């Protein structure tokens, strides 16, 4: 190159625009209680349709993600957007149904807002089964199943779960212990003390039991400790609210034996 000559920059042509992610991260995600598959054309109506049409402003051709608690998660597009319902077209399956750790959360029902919080967080954390337990000091003995089911669905839609946790009917503590399966460890969170959680080896299948606001009675404690499957645990040096204990114990188990690490827990046959 002679002196003073300008170095020519290589010409690569105009920059190509990046291909946008599909489906977009903002794509609505919805549970539908109907089998999904390549040939399915589900209709979304009711409150879900109102949300999609009037809040999310979906129109024909827009994407959405559906899961059915049977086959996994599917990408779909709106085929027809009416005033009160949407017909969608299934495009392809995005994920198979997940394998959740085989952990049950047995808990005494508490007041409405706190109960909703337990259901929401336990679902997000990945429990396989939710079991309300009526104890001697349980204040709330009747639970509205429809409201709890709605909380479960909403939590699954938000956190990306493809398998809804099973919701059992409330049962009294003596009946729970009488019919308890021998092969499932029952981690009894006792406010009176117990072994530190990290020292108790209880992989799946397992369950956690937390009590009501007033704790367990001495008669209930004696019945629990007489059950061969029960392992008494402590949740730290402080007294926790009932809802805090349920979520804390679930998180500790998931970190130790669940799917938060490299090894996934045993798959629940109900999931």
């Amino acid at each position: 190159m002679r002196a003073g000559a300008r170095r020519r920059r290589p010409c690569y042509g105009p920059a190509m625009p990046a291909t946008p992610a599909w489906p977009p991260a903002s794509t609505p995600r919805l549970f539908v209680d109907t089998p999904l598959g390549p040939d399915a054309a589900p209709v979304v109506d009711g409150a879900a349709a109102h949300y999609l049409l009037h809040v999310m402003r979906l129109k024909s051709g827009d994407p959405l993600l559906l899961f059915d608690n049977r086959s996994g998660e599917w990408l779909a597009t709106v085929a027809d957007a009416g005033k009160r319902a949407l017909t969608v077209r299934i495009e392809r399956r995005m994920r198979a149904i997940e394998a959740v750790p085989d952990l049950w959360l047995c808990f005494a029902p508490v007041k409405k807002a706190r109960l909703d919080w337990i259901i929401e967080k336990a679902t997000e954390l990945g429990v396989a089964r939710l079991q309300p337990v009526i104890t001697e000091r349980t204040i709330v003995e009747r639970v509205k199943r429809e409201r709890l089911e709605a909380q479960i669905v909403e939590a699954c839609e938000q956190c990306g779960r493809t398998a809804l946790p099973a919701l059992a009917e409330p049962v009294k503590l003596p009946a729970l212990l009488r019919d308890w399966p021998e092969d499932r460890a029952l981690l009894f969170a006792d406010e009176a003390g117990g072994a530190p959680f990290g020292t108790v080896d209880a992989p799946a299948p397992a369950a956690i039991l937390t009590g009501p606001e007033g704790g367990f009675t001495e008669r209930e404690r004696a019945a629990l400790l007489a059950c061969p499957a029960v392992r008494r645990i402590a949740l730290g040096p402080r007294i926790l609210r009932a809802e805090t204990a349920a979520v804390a114990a679930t998180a500790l188990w998931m970190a130790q034996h669940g799917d938060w690490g490299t090894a996934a827990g045993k798959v629940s046959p109900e999931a």
Side-chain angles (χ1 to χ4, degrees):
M1 181 181 294
R2 69 178 186 275
R6 293 184 178 180
R7 183 185 297 273
R8 292 186 177 181
R9 295 180 180 178
C11 181
Y12 298 110
M16 296 295 292
T19 302
W22 189 262
S26 59
T27 300
R29 190 169 185 274
L30 185 69
F31 167 71
V32 290
D33 191 13
T34 185
L36 297 175
D39 299 326
V43 175
V44 180
D45 54 15
H50 177 82
Y51 172 76
L52 295 175
L53 290 168
H54 303 292
V55 178
M56 299 303 296
R57 303 288 185 182
L58 292 194
K59 57 185 182 299
S60 295
D62 285 345
L64 68 159
L65 295 169
L66 304 176
F67 65 103
D68 59 359
N69 197 36
R70 299 173 178 87
S71 60
E73 181 181 80
W74 298 78
L75 174 64
T77 55
V78 178
D80 180 57
K83 292 183 178 181
R84 297 182 179 180
L86 302 92
T87 303
V88 302
R89 179 176 58 251
I90 300 298
E91 301 291 345
R92 65 179 185 275
R93 188 164 74 165
M94 304 292 289
R95 291 187 292 153
I97 192 166
E98 67 188 300
V100 295
D102 191 2
L103 176 68
W104 298 358
L105 177 61
C106 306
F107 59 94
V110 291
K111 294 178 182 179
K112 181 178 177 181
R114 294 176 183 175
L115 177 58
D116 291 348
W117 192 77
I118 290 176
I119 297 295
E120 178 186 83
K121 300 310 173 188
T123 299
E124 291 179 11
L125 291 171
V127 301
R129 182 183 179 92
L130 294 159
Q131 174 65 71
V133 180
I134 308 302
T135 68
E136 292 183 21
R137 292 175 177 165
T138 299
I139 299 174
V140 180
E141 295 191 3
R142 293 183 179 181
V143 296
K144 293 184 178 179
R145 184 178 182 88
E146 290 184 359
R147 193 184 83 246
L148 298 190
E149 289 175 341
Q151 289 288 339
I152 289 172
V153 168
E154 185 175 341
C156 286
E157 290 174 344
Q158 184 276 329
C159 74
R161 280 189 67 159
T162 57
L164 275 63
L167 176 62
E169 292 295 330
V171 62
K172 292 186 176 181
L173 181 59
L176 180 81
L177 296 179
R178 183 189 64 233
D179 300 329
W180 193 258
E182 295 180 357
D183 64 339
R184 183 176 297 274
L186 178 56
L187 301 175
F188 163 39
D190 189 357
E191 68 274 12
F197 196 103
T199 66
V200 178
D201 186 30
I208 293 167
L209 172 65
T210 58
E213 288 95 333
F216 294 96
T217 65
E218 287 304 319
R219 178 167 53 183
E220 289 174 330
R221 184 173 287 106
L224 282 161
L225 296 179
C227 179
V230 167
R231 303 184 187 182
R232 190 181 183 191
I233 61 169
L235 296 175
R238 288 166 289 279
I239 297 175
L240 304 179
R241 285 183 177 271
E243 67 271 21
T244 307
V247 173
T250 301
L252 286 169
W253 190 92
M254 284 294 176
Q256 186 175 354
H257 298 296
D259 56 4
W260 286 14
T262 56
K266 183 178 178 181
V267 178
S268 167
E270 298 175 337

